[in-house]
Amino acid sequence: MADLRIDRLNKSYGTAHVLSDIGLSIDNGEFVVLVGPSGCGKSTLLRMIAGLDAPTSGDIRIGGKLVNALAPAERKIAMVFQSYALYPHMDVRKNMTFGLKFTGVKPVERERRVAEAARMLRLEALLGRYPRDLSGGQRQRVAIGRAIVREPDVFLFDEPLSNLDAALRVSTRVEIARLHRLLGATMVYVTHDQIEAMTLADRIVVMNHGRIEQVGKPLELYYSPADLFVAGFIGSPAMNFFPAEVESIEDGSARIAGDSIAPFVLPAGTLKPGAAVTIGVRPEHLTPAAEGDFATAGVVELVERLGEASYAHVRRADDKMTVAEIRGRRTPPPGERVQLSAPAADIHVFDADGRRVTTGP
Amino acid sequence: MVKQRFQIFGVHAILIAYCALALGPILLVVMNSFKTRNAIFGAPLAPPTATTFSLIGYMKVFNASHIGTYFMNSLIVTVVSMVLVLLFGAMAAWALTEYKFRGSTALALFLSIGIMVPIRLGSVAILTMMREADLNDTLTALILVYIAQGLPLSIFILSEFIQQIPRDLRDAARCDGVPETRIFFEVIAPLLRPAIATVAVFTIVPIWNDLWFPLILTSSDSTHTITLGVQQFLGQYITDWNSVLAALSMAILPVVAIYVVFSRQLISGLTAGAVK
């Protein structure tokens, strides 16, 4: 068990900066998810923690020890790969024990660990099989088992569920969460799937263009995204954005207006008169009602029915699309004009640079 | 339907013709090795019959010559060269694809020159070199030359195969704490078996059949290989065809045997299940 500290980490290939000034502190036993669009550098960061890639500059400490110059095996980490990376010519038992031979674990101890991991992951019946005879989910469980038997300080997961089908993804996700509770180990998990991030993480690290955009608890990111990128990335369907302007400020209240929204008043906070802002409202906070602190309108173009809710895609005055979640059995038919509104508490305001503006007291 | 049937027929006709062309001479050698001298010249294309059947060639070869020594020499030279070509080839291919070091690209290019330039161009230099190293008329000289001859192509083929082995597999082994040499011998090498079988066949056949280097590098009976040994039956004035054909027939056998052994390894698909 150990904590993980990353300090001003940089990685560049020639002139291309893959990671810029990454600083991150992960506590012992914490489950941290690195999330971001493909190419944001999250896998590179994980590979550098593992020791598979060398950083251009910066420090990585595991359990207080500087590990920059250590080989992967000396860092007391274990990694689970997206492609499982099982040794194809070894059976499940051998796959799990192969690495232990070289780290000085005695045969009796090896057997004990394999038995325990197999019990934990329900692999007992598969120990004699070869990877080619296993299903995708079983293979991934073997890969996780191979990580467990190493008894590492830090577990690293590189998109472990991406190759599984939807149903298996959900059950394996639950399995990983259960495992984290059971082992209490520090885990770093890379994914591009925000549902995995939201459900598994103690803290989420949102990355974009090789930088950390925001670090926070899942609901913190959901309720107070630091910038437009995080706001748009976390939540599905994505947050709706409306360009607007601060018309005036009177008695601590800002009057905000835009092409596609009805003028409304917010506590001014740090807003300045005449400033261009972006208003963000999540689809699930928009309700079809004429009354509300925030209001917009448009023509329904398409309705997606999921059962527990429907998503209405509405074309608004500035010709952009807005998505609203509609609960209940009645959904507006395409072509109908609808009024959508949201309470002031669910409105996010971002300044011209895309940073969140704190409004209200 | 009809067109398809014609196409299949056409393809098979071509394949059968090629097969006949390739196997014909071999069949002729084997058939005639079991015939009397008169029958060989009288009806060279006829198979041996009860009256023309004779083992005289084989008897002469076994009694009158050092055929056992020649065979053994060929076997030693071929097997040792093959093992070393595969070992060094795979190791070099691994190093050149997996590790980037100063001059690795230049080294790879240098090695690929070996594929393009025939080693026989260097015969005179090789002969001088071997004489100065006091290796003239030894099997070691032949083995060294054949390793040099086989390495470039084997490195080239094995590099291609190593590149196809998923990167994650090596990374997983590194995270597992497997030392680099063990990664090569216990993770990578077992997955290279189909490639190694291919390279083995490519390496063995030219070495076994080679006449040139035994001719210039060996001079005594104790170091002759089978292909060179056969030459002693071919005289300037008289050629003992019975013996030549019998010796050649026997020389074919090991190559066929080795091919049969390795062809089972040629089956690929060993990596199935490693990654999705």
Side-chain angles (χ1 to χ4, degrees), chain A residues 148-193:
Chain A
I148 291 176
V149 295
R150 298 203 63 227
E151 300 189 344
D153 286 343
V154 181
F155 280 88
L156 307 173
F157 293 91
D158 190 5
E159 310 215 10
L161 308 183
S162 301
N163 283 352
L164 303 180
D165 63 49
L168 214 51
R169 210 175 294 167
V170 173
S171 63
T172 314
R173 200 172 75 204
V174 174
E175 193 99 341
I176 291 175
R178 191 175 63 92
L179 216 60
H180 177 241
R181 242 193 11 254
L182 216 63
L183 298 168
T186 312
M187 294 187 173
V188 184
Y189 186 109
V190 163
T191 181
H192 60 263
D193 182 313

Side-chain angles (χ1 to χ4, degrees), chain B residues 7 38 79 164 188 192 227 234 237 259 264:
Chain B
Q7 269 177 355
N38 284 342
V79 170
Q164 285 169 21
I188 302 301
L192 284 179
T227 34
L234 299 165
Y237 303 109
Y259 183 79
R264 299 181 64 188

Side-chain angles (χ1 to χ4, degrees), chain A residues 101-161:
Chain A
K101 277 199 301 193
F102 306 104
T103 40
V105 181
K106 301 226 157 45
V108 184
E109 172 67 6
R110 278 183 232 159
E111 281 312 306
R112 187 193 66 75
R113 289 190 193 180
V114 168
E116 197 184 310
R119 188 181 48 77
M120 232 187 271
L121 295 162
R122 296 187 294 281
L123 289 170
E124 288 105 332
L126 307 176
L127 285 176
R129 296 231 212 137
Y130 284 85
R132 59 177 170 273
D133 303 324
L134 301 177
S135 70
Q138 290 169 332
R139 283 179 203 170
Q140 194 52 281
R141 281 190 352 245
V142 174
I144 294 171
R146 187 172 63 182
I148 291 176
V149 295
R150 298 203 63 227
E151 300 189 344
D153 286 343
V154 181
F155 280 88
L156 307 173
F157 293 91
D158 190 5
E159 310 215 10
L161 308 183

Side-chain angles (χ1 to χ4, degrees), chain A residues 46-354:
Chain A
L46 196 76
R47 288 176 62 83
M48 287 203 285
I49 297 173
L52 294 169
D53 283 342
T56 308
S57 70
D59 291 338
I60 300 172
R61 286 187 172 78
I62 297 176
K65 193 165 113 192
L66 188 68
V67 296
N68 281 25
L70 294 185
E74 298 166 321
R75 299 183 178 203
K76 295 200 179 163
I77 52 97
M79 188 150 165
V80 177
F81 294 84
Q82 178 182 355
S83 64
Y84 323 132
L86 300 177
Y87 309 122
H89 54 297
M90 301 180 193
D91 62 19
V92 170
R93 181 188 303 275
K94 188 92 191 299
N95 256 288
M96 292 207 261
T97 54
F98 182 58
L100 297 180
K101 277 199 301 193
F102 306 104
T103 40
V105 181
K106 301 226 157 45
V108 184
E109 172 67 6
R110 278 183 232 159
E111 281 312 306
R112 187 193 66 75
R113 289 190 193 180
V114 168
E116 197 184 310
R119 188 181 48 77
M120 232 187 271
L121 295 162
R122 296 187 294 281
L123 289 170
E124 288 105 332
L126 307 176
L127 285 176
R129 296 231 212 137
Y130 284 85
R132 59 177 170 273
D133 303 324
L134 301 177
S135 70
Q138 290 169 332
R139 283 179 203 170
Q140 194 52 281
R141 281 190 352 245
V142 174
I144 294 171
R146 187 172 63 182
I148 291 176
V149 295
R150 298 203 63 227
E151 300 189 344
D153 286 343
V154 181
F155 280 88
L156 307 173
F157 293 91
D158 190 5
E159 310 215 10
L161 308 183
S162 301
N163 283 352
L164 303 180
D165 63 49
L168 214 51
R169 210 175 294 167
V170 173
S171 63
T172 314
R173 200 172 75 204
V174 174
E175 193 99 341
I176 291 175
R178 191 175 63 92
L179 216 60
H180 177 241
R181 242 193 11 254
L182 216 63
L183 298 168
T186 312
M187 294 187 173
V188 184
Y189 186 109
V190 163
T191 181
H192 60 263
D193 182 313
Q194 47 146 322
I195 295 176
E196 277 171 36
M198 295 290 280
T199 51
L200 286 169
D202 293 327
R203 275 195 305 157
I204 296 178
V205 177
V206 183
M207 295 181 65
N208 191 27
H209 295 312
R211 287 175 196 282
I212 292 180
E213 297 277 346
Q214 190 175 2
V215 183
K217 293 198 171 74
L219 292 186
E220 266 173 35
L221 298 189
Y222 179 83
Y223 285 113
S224 18
D227 55 30
L228 278 176
F229 175 78
V230 178
F233 193 78
I234 300 287
S236 173
M239 189 186 277
N240 299 300
F241 295 117
F242 304 86
E245 198 187 58
V246 181
E247 278 198 335
S248 62
I249 293 182
E250 275 169 42
D251 302 335
S253 295
R255 188 182 148 83
I256 295 170
D259 290 344
S260 54
I261 56 176
F264 67 104
V265 174
L266 270 182
T270 55
L271 288 174
K272 299 271 182 299
V277 291
T278 303
I279 304 298
V281 185
R282 295 197 182 279
E284 51 270 40
H285 297 144
L286 277 177
T287 45
E291 300 297 306
D293 300 313
F294 167 90
T296 183
V299 177
V300 176
E301 275 202 356
L302 174 80
V303 179
E304 292 176 303
R305 293 169 205 86
L306 304 183
E308 85 272 20
S310 304
Y311 294 114
H313 294 250
V314 176
R315 188 172 293 281
R316 54 195 212 215
D318 59 1
D319 217 31
K320 300 235 170 60
M321 298 301 288
T322 291
V323 179
E325 185 183 300
I326 293 167
R327 300 246 155 211
R329 293 179 181 231
R330 210 204 79 80
T331 56
E336 190 176 283
R337 191 172 171 77
V338 288
Q339 295 280 327
L340 300 166
S341 66
D346 293 327
I347 292 170
H348 306 266
V349 184
F350 302 93
D351 65 17
D353 298 328

